[in-house]
Amino acid sequence: LGITGDDITLTGYEGFRIREISDSSCLYGTQAQIGDIITHVDGERVKSRSELRSALSSREAGDTVELTLLRITNSRTGDYTTLTVSCTLSANG
């Protein structure tokens, strides 16, 4: 995907948190932001980097995937919003 990040395992916020989006990423220029948590790939739940890789392993460059992202809008209250972005995978991100 052309991103770096880390697993997040707080109850209700499990997934892969985006730390960086490279210029060559298929997410570059979408609504995805640093800090967003990837929770689903094409409707399949992912809770870690390894599950994200597994969900993407059957896809090839040129395939379009739909990612569900969780964005924490207020860390004090735990408020969040979810959004869906589509991106076309490329060979280099």
Side-chain angles (χ1 to χ4, degrees):
L1 291 176
I3 59 173
T4 59
D6 53 11
D7 295 346
I8 185 163
T9 56
L10 300 172
T11 303
Y13 303 119
E14 295 173 322
F16 183 76
R17 180 175 32 203
I18 300 170
R19 292 284 185 195
E20 182 180 343
I21 301 172
S22 75
D23 292 347
S24 63
S25 171
C26 66
L27 291 176
Y28 186 80
T30 69
Q31 293 180 358
Q33 296 179 2
I34 292 172
D36 287 350
I37 302 165
I38 299 172
T39 60
H40 294 80
V41 176
D42 288 336
E44 179 183 341
R45 182 76 168 105
V46 294
K47 297 181 181 181
S48 65
R49 175 192 319 260
S50 62
E51 289 184 8
L52 176 61
R53 284 186 180 179
S54 177
L56 293 171
S57 66
S58 63
R59 279 50 170 220
E60 298 179 4
D63 288 349
T64 298
V65 295
E66 185 175 275
L67 303 176
T68 303
L69 308 174
L70 182 143
R71 182 174 296 158
I72 299 171
T73 55
N74 187 324
S75 58
R76 284 190 213 174
T77 62
D79 291 343
Y80 65 89
T81 188
T82 57
L83 58 142
T84 303
V85 296
S86 293
C87 66
T88 301
L89 302 177
S90 66
N92 62 351

